[in-house]
Amino acid sequence: MNGCHLTESNVAGYLQSLRMMERTGATIQKYVHGVRSFMEWLDGRPVTKELTAQWKHDLMEKGLSPSTINGRIAAVNGLFHFLGWTEYRVRALKIQRQAFRDNTKELTAEEYFRLVQTARLQSRERLALVMETICSTGIRVSEVRYITVEAARRARATVSLKGKIRTILLPEKLCGKLLQYARRRGIISGEIFLTEGGKSLSRFEIWREMKAVCEKAGVQGSKVFPHNLRHLFAMTYYRANKNIVRLADLLGHSSINTTRIYLISTGEEHARELARMRLIC
């Protein structure tokens, strides 16, 4: 086979299929970026299995992380499946599960509290409350829009995402803060965390605001991003309860193997565990 040419019409159709499958906005954005980077690499050449394999090799040569490479492969393989070009798909990289996390990316509870305190000192009340909401409930940043006045009054939010519906319990103290914030902002119903223009806060806006306070808070920028608050919730809950099944339910995971990734300890903690074994004379 001489190969097939990718067109903008192909990408548009794939984009529509992702929407029909109710993929999240972040997933769609990631997939479209992966497909477009592949098209740019092709530079007008027709798709062949040999070229797709070469593209995978070039991604590895660039030194991209295995997870980034696999994300792009998933996007392009998904496009090939949609188009019926299954013969052009390539295998993802096999990644051995890490035994521990990089401590330069592990956000501690102390650092989290400093971020919240610094946000309030800088009159960034919305940011402080967003961070407290994510970290005290374990919700995804994409689920922040489900934190409504009605949810705060009921002390529970109903989240519908990725084809699943689950209920998230909101701590009483958090509900009080959310309702006070809503009253001050004149929000009587619906979403609590809104932009000045009345739109939902995006993942990027929350990330950008967190980055703006990290230096003043004395926290490494590599540790400061919304998803790390979810990790901190998971670690804190598990250390207190040792119930990974319940934690998986709280996080909205279909597989406990996904939850296990959240519970990987840092290298320093791993080293202390090894030292406590006292197996060296």
Side-chain angles (χ1 to χ4, degrees):
M1 193 172 188
N2 295 325
C4 300
H5 284 277
L6 270 178
T7 66
E8 286 297 329
S9 177
N10 295 147
V11 178
Y14 182 45
L15 175 60
Q16 182 61 25
S17 75
L18 291 172
R19 289 172 177 157
M20 292 295 290
M21 288 188 288
E22 299 183 358
R23 300 287 190 182
T24 65
T27 298
I28 292 174
Q29 185 178 19
K30 182 175 71 174
Y31 272 38
V32 170
H33 173 72
V35 167
R36 292 202 177 280
S37 67
F38 176 60
M39 289 181 68
E40 183 179 342
W41 181 88
L42 283 173
D43 195 24
R45 292 174 293 179
V47 179
T48 64
K49 180 61 179 285
E50 291 74 19
L51 278 179
T52 308
Q54 181 61 48
W55 167 70
K56 173 184 172 180
H57 180 267
D58 286 357
L59 291 177
M60 296 167 63
E61 288 293 305
K62 284 182 179 179
L64 298 176
S65 70
S67 60
T68 297
I69 293 172
N70 280 348
R72 295 191 184 182
I73 289 173
V76 171
N77 280 347
L79 172 66
F80 292 160
H81 177 77
F82 167 72
L83 295 173
W85 300 354
T86 54
E87 67 271 26
Y88 300 145
R89 291 184 297 184
V90 292
R91 292 183 179 180
L93 301 179
K94 291 184 178 180
I95 305 175
Q96 182 177 347
R97 193 172 70 88
Q98 290 183 317
F100 51 85
R101 296 187 73 196
D102 183 351
N103 58 15
T104 63
K105 295 182 180 179
E106 183 77 11
L107 183 70
T108 66
E110 181 185 357
E111 290 168 331
Y112 154 69
F113 287 123
R114 290 210 306 267
L115 288 170
V116 173
Q117 182 181 32
T118 301
R120 289 209 163 95
L121 289 174
Q122 294 183 354
S123 299
R124 296 173 180 263
E125 180 59 29
R126 183 183 66 188
L127 172 63
L129 196 49
V130 166
M131 289 192 291
E132 286 184 310
T133 300
I134 296 174
C135 201
S136 65
T137 62
I139 61 173
R140 301 176 177 90
V141 66
S142 58
E143 296 171 338
V144 167
R145 69 180 186 272
Y146 293 99
I147 304 301
T148 63
V149 173
E150 293 79 7
R153 287 173 181 158
R154 294 192 305 265
R156 61 184 59 201
T158 301
V159 171
S160 176
L161 201 66
K162 296 187 176 182
K164 295 180 289 186
I165 298 176
R166 78 183 196 281
T167 298
I168 296 171
L169 299 181
L170 306 179
E172 181 180 353
K173 186 174 181 180
L174 175 66
C175 290
K177 286 189 172 187
L178 290 169
L179 292 173
Q180 287 178 10
Y181 174 83
R183 281 195 293 269
R184 290 197 300 269
R185 291 297 185 99
I187 302 171
I188 60 175
S189 65
E191 291 182 53
I192 292 177
F193 298 118
L194 300 169
T195 66
E196 295 302 323
K199 296 182 179 180
S200 301
L201 275 180
S202 70
R203 178 192 307 267
F204 174 73
E205 286 168 321
I206 296 172
W207 174 87
R208 181 178 60 191
E209 289 193 33
M210 288 181 66
K211 291 294 186 181
V213 302
C214 65
E215 183 175 353
K216 188 70 174 178
V219 182
Q220 294 179 51
S222 61
K223 298 182 177 185
V224 181
F225 50 93
H227 195 68
N228 238 8
L229 300 173
R230 185 165 148 91
H231 270 278
L232 179 56
F233 167 85
M235 291 294 294
T236 305
Y237 181 90
Y238 185 74
R239 285 168 178 161
N241 299 283
K242 303 297 183 185
N243 190 333
I244 193 171
V245 175
R246 179 59 181 150
L247 177 58
D249 289 339
L250 292 174
L251 295 175
H253 290 160
S254 300
S255 169
I256 290 179
N257 287 331
T258 303
T259 311
R260 289 177 64 196
I261 297 173
Y262 283 66
L263 303 180
I264 298 172
S265 62
T266 66
E268 290 181 355
E269 187 173 346
H270 185 65
R272 288 195 295 270
E273 291 170 352
L274 294 177
R276 283 196 294 268
M277 292 173 67
R278 298 182 179 180
L279 293 176
I280 301 176
C281 297

